[in-house]
Amino acid sequence: MGKSTVRAQMDVRLCFRVREPRDGDLILGQGMVKAGWHPHKLDAPGKFLISSPDHDIPRRARTYLLDDEGVQATAERHAEHRPPLDEVSAQALLRAAEMPVMLPPVHRPAVAPACA
C-alpha cells in the first residue's frame, strides 16, 4: 500500500492504531497527521479512523468484536421482533434450504511413487 497510486484506488480507508505517525499518513494520506489526525495515539481497542469519499476529513469510529455465540444470543433475543420476509426473500430461503450443501474438494498433495 506504500505507493500513492495504490492508495488512490481505495475509496474507503480504515486506520487502526499504528506504531509511527508516518504510517498514519501512509494510510490516510499525506498531511493527515499534521492536520491533527493521530492514529498512533488511539488509546483503546477497536478505535479507528475512517476516511471515505463521503467525508472531507477522517472520522473517529469504534468497532467491537462479536464471536459466534454473541451473534447467536443477540439473534435469539430479538427473533420475536423480526419482521416477516417479503415473498421474493421467502422463496429464495426455501430454494436455498432445498439445495444440497456443496463442500469444497479436499486438496491432497501428490505422493511420488516409492523407488524400488
Side-chain angles (χ1 to χ4, degrees):
M1 193 176 121
K3 302 293 182 195
S4 61
T5 56
V6 174
R7 187 177 54 244
Q9 294 178 17
M10 298 177 195
D11 286 344
V12 176
R13 301 176 195 155
L14 300 178
C15 186
F16 289 87
R17 184 174 55 206
V18 294
R19 293 179 192 255
E20 298 180 28
R22 64 186 170 111
D23 293 334
D25 278 342
L26 178 70
I27 296 167
L28 298 171
Q30 280 306 113
M32 286 294 143
V33 173
K34 256 188 184 176
W37 298 99
H38 301 283
H40 56 288
K41 293 183 179 178
L42 293 172
D43 61 352
K47 283 188 178 180
F48 66 98
L49 299 172
I50 181 169
S51 175
S52 76
D54 298 336
H55 302 134
D56 52 345
I57 57 172
R59 306 278 188 211
R60 287 180 174 84
R62 188 152 193 186
T63 186
Y64 298 91
L65 176 64
L66 294 176
D67 59 10
D68 290 343
E69 291 80 20
V71 171
Q72 183 67 33
T74 301
E76 289 172 1
R77 187 171 56 245
H78 297 284
E80 65 188 46
H81 304 292
R82 186 179 308 147
L85 292 175
D86 60 273
E87 186 61 31
V88 173
S89 299
Q91 291 299 322
L93 186 61
L94 287 173
R95 282 192 303 274
E98 293 169 356
M99 294 179 68
V101 175
M102 300 297 290
L103 297 176
V106 176
H107 176 71
R108 298 176 197 265
V111 178
C115 296

